[in-house]
């Protein structure tokens, strides 16, 4: 017996609908099927509705199938029957299932604008049916085994990750110091010249940049007697940090250490004018005689885990702001124009067209909408047709477009066409069947009191590189025209 399923296909009259996919259903063998319907055909010929049967999942093989377009009058039902070999993902069917005009005029459409199609499928013979059922059971067992193993591996990975996270969390409760070694070379010469020296930029694990500043002969009231040492936060997040600054010695017991917690601001230094007496440093072997150098270690960290998380959050916000600024520079913004089409009813009785007001974008290109109130070519008499034209600019330019038919009362119901296209000068490109006249009035897009339709046109190049190229080419053309 056939496995049959009656399918409701909606949006048949919607001009923006190119394909309707039915819900999948499972036959008795275990394979899953669906019906693909093209209301305007699956090629350039829009006079026929096309239907195709697709094997979404299951057992590849030979199947018989029947596609019936139902009608209240049984004698008018359209029926096609065939037998084909299907693989998973294959589609088989009928490009010219029924003429669109016949579909619209002979009562196949329901009141809500949908049609009913009965899809019936079975294996080509009884032997194949038994074979496919056995294959499906084997396939189902393999899938269950694979899913079980994948779930097991996923759980094991999750357990390992939780263990690692727990170990990391315990380490973060007391943040590790970010430590750096700074060697002050030519110490004697620096003292005589009374110069200060700065370490290279040092970055902690938050990404904040620090420097250690050493005055070899002292600073201010410590001059000539004391070694002066300061810390400076060059960039990052201002706030409270634990610090540890050490003047190192071969004998660890003699190391000079300053540590504590301090609030740091950007570019403001904090430290000790009287870090250590110069005569004591020289007398106790801190200065390497061979290299004439002092060795420092400076270490920094947030005071606790909560503060570190807060600083991380602030850094992410700062990075996000910088990313948004960069994105604004790299991705051009739309140039937009709103146009009101007046006296629509009068224009609908004519076969003429009208141009919208020009949109001059920030490159200097000129764009217009070309509007046929009564439709164009095959859409004449029953549709609103809309086209885009590049009147002035660089031919063969690639632009992102957005054409919207605005709803007077409900902005969420705006009809929007958007995408990317290559436009040539004064060549039309657009939608002959943008919207049928009946829908314009029934769904309130036509302002009945003012007899107007409102459109919004938006254009921009896809990226800043193309925008610069088009700008240079357009300027070159303008200069040639002036000559």
């Amino acid at each position: 017996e056939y496995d049959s399923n009656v399918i409701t296909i909606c949006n048949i009259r919607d001009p923006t609908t190119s394909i309707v996919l039915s819900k999948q259903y499972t036959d008795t063998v275990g394979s899953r099927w669906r019906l693909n319907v093209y209301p305007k055909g699956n090629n350039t010929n829009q006079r026929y509705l096309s239907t195709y049967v697709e094997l979404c999942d299951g057992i590849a093989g030979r199947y018989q199938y029947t596609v019936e377009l139902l009608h209240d009058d049984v004698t008018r039902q359209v029926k096609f029957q065939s037998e084909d070999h299907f693989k998973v993902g294959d589609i088989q069917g009928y490009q010219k299932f029924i003429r669109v005009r016949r579909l619209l005029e002979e009562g196949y459409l329901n009141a809500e604008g949908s049609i009913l199609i009965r899809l019936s499928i079975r294996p080509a013979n009884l032997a194949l049916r038994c074979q496919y059922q056995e294959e499906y059971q084997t396939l189902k067992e393999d899938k269950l085994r694979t899913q079980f193993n994948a779930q097991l591996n996923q759980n094991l990975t999750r357990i390992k990750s939780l263990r690692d996270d727990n170990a990391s969390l315990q380490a973060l409760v007391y943040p590790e110091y970010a430590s750096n070694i700074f060697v002050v070379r030519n110490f004697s010469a620096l003292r005589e010249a009374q110069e200060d020296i700065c370490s290279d930029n040092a970055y902690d694990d938050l990404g904040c940049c620090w420097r250690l500043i050493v005055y070899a002969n002292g600073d201010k009231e410590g001059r000539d007697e004391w070694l002066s040492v300061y810390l400076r936060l060059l960039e990052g997040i201002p706030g409270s940090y634990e610090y540890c600054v050490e003047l190192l010695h071969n004998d660890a017991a003699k190391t000079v250490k300053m540590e504590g917690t301090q609030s740091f601001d950007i570019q403001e230094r904090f430290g000790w004018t009287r870090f250590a007496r110069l005569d004591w440093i020289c007398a106790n072997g801190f200065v390497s005689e061979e290299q004439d150098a002092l060795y420092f270690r400076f270490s920094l960290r947030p005071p606790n885990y909560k503060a570190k998380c807060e600083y991380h959050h602030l850094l992410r916000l700062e990075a996000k702001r910088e990313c948004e600024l960069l994105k604004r520079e790299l991705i051009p913004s739309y140039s937009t124009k709103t146009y009101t089409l007046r006296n629509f009813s009068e224009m609908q009785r004519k076969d003429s067209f009208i141009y919208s007001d020009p949109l001059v974008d920030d490159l200097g290109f000129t764009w217009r909408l070309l509007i046929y109130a009564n439709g164009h070519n095959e859409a004449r008499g029953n549709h609103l047709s809309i086209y885009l034209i590049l009147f002035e600019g660089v031919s063969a330019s690639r632009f992102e477009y957005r054409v919207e038919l605005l709803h007077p009362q409900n902005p969420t119901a705006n009809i929007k066409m958007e995408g990317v296209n290559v436009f040539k000068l004064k060549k039309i490109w657009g939608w002959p069947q943008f919207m049928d006249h009946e829908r314009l009035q029934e769904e309130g897009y036509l302002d009945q009191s003012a007899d107007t339709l409102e459109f919004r046109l938006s254009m921009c190049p896809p990226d800043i590189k193309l925008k610069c190229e088009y700008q240079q080419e357009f300027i070159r053309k303008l200069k040639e025209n002036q000559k």
Side-chain angles (χ1 to χ4, degrees), residues 193-464:
Q194 297 193 0
E195 292 181 356
D196 64 304
I197 185 170
C198 297
S199 70
D200 293 333
N201 292 348
Y203 293 89
D204 61 21
D205 57 356
L206 286 171
C208 299
C209 182
W210 301 85
R211 269 187 180 172
L212 190 69
I213 307 168
V214 177
Y215 286 81
N217 202 45
D219 179 39
K220 297 180 180 177
E221 65 269 19
R223 194 175 300 279
D224 297 327
E225 294 183 12
W226 293 85
L227 180 73
S228 301
V229 180
Y230 301 95
L231 271 171
R232 175 172 286 166
L233 174 61
L234 290 183
E235 57 183 52
I237 300 300
S240 180
Y241 290 86
E242 287 187 8
Y243 61 84
C244 180
V245 179
E246 301 167 271
L247 176 59
L248 303 179
H249 193 281
N250 291 331
D251 181 0
K254 293 185 178 181
T255 296
V256 180
K257 181 186 294 186
M258 297 291 186
E259 58 185 345
T261 303
Q262 176 65 28
S263 180
F264 287 87
D265 287 324
I266 302 295
Q267 295 294 343
E268 288 189 8
R269 71 182 191 178
F270 162 80
W272 308 268
T273 305
R274 299 180 178 184
F275 185 83
R277 290 192 63 89
L278 289 169
D279 54 358
W280 181 81
I281 289 173
C282 296
N284 285 274
F286 283 89
V287 182
S288 169
E289 295 182 1
E290 295 180 0
Q291 298 181 354
D292 190 24
L294 288 177
Y295 292 84
F296 289 87
R297 179 168 58 220
F298 59 103
S299 309
L300 293 131
R301 68 180 180 185
N304 52 53
Y305 174 68
K306 180 182 177 183
K308 185 168 185 177
C309 291
E310 290 175 354
Y311 296 169
H312 265 301
H313 178 66
L314 291 172
L315 283 168
R316 283 197 299 270
L317 291 178
E318 185 65 27
K320 187 176 180 180
R321 279 194 294 268
E322 291 179 0
C323 184
E324 289 297 326
L325 290 173
L326 183 62
K327 189 182 293 185
R328 290 195 194 108
E329 293 178 2
L330 295 179
I331 301 177
S333 57
Y334 277 104
S335 297
T336 301
K337 181 83 172 182
T338 301
Y339 169 69
T340 302
L341 175 64
R342 306 185 185 281
N343 302 318
F344 174 77
S345 301
E346 180 182 343
M347 291 191 60
Q348 191 179 353
R349 293 191 289 269
K350 303 176 183 179
D351 291 331
S352 59
F353 62 85
I354 189 170
Y355 286 116
S356 70
D357 296 335
L359 164 63
V360 180
D361 62 24
D362 56 359
L363 284 172
F365 290 18
T366 302
W367 305 84
R368 286 180 186 266
L369 290 177
L370 176 63
I371 303 171
Y372 286 86
N374 197 40
H376 183 232
N377 289 344
E378 293 183 1
R380 182 173 290 129
N382 51 33
H383 279 82
L384 172 71
S385 300
I386 299 177
Y387 300 93
L388 252 174
I389 302 180
L390 172 60
F391 262 82
E392 189 175 1
V394 177
S395 190
S397 297
R398 189 164 177 262
F399 267 76
E400 291 185 9
Y401 63 84
R402 185 184 296 155
V403 177
E404 297 174 84
L405 174 59
L406 307 183
H407 195 285
Q409 284 83 35
N410 183 11
T412 61
N414 292 351
I415 300 297
K416 184 187 299 183
M417 299 294 186
E418 57 185 346
V420 182
N421 192 55
V422 176
F423 293 90
K424 295 183 179 180
L425 277 173
K426 299 185 179 177
K427 298 289 185 181
I428 65 171
W429 182 87
W431 307 270
Q433 297 180 334
F434 188 87
M435 181 177 284
D436 62 70
H437 293 155
E438 183 179 346
R439 186 181 173 195
L440 275 176
Q441 302 205 21
E442 288 179 353
E443 299 186 13
Y445 291 97
L446 178 64
D447 188 335
Q448 301 282 359
S449 59
D451 195 23
T452 58
L453 291 176
E454 193 166 13
F455 300 89
R456 182 162 57 222
L457 170 62
S458 305
M459 305 294 297
C460 76
D463 56 63
I464 196 69

Side-chain angles (χ1 to χ4, degrees), residues 34 36 38 42 52-55 86-87 89-93:
R34 72 177 173 196
N36 300 349
Y38 295 80
N42 71 331
Y52 296 90
V53 179
E54 180 182 357
L55 175 59
F86 284 85
K87 294 181 181 178
D90 277 358
I91 60 172
Q92 307 284 352

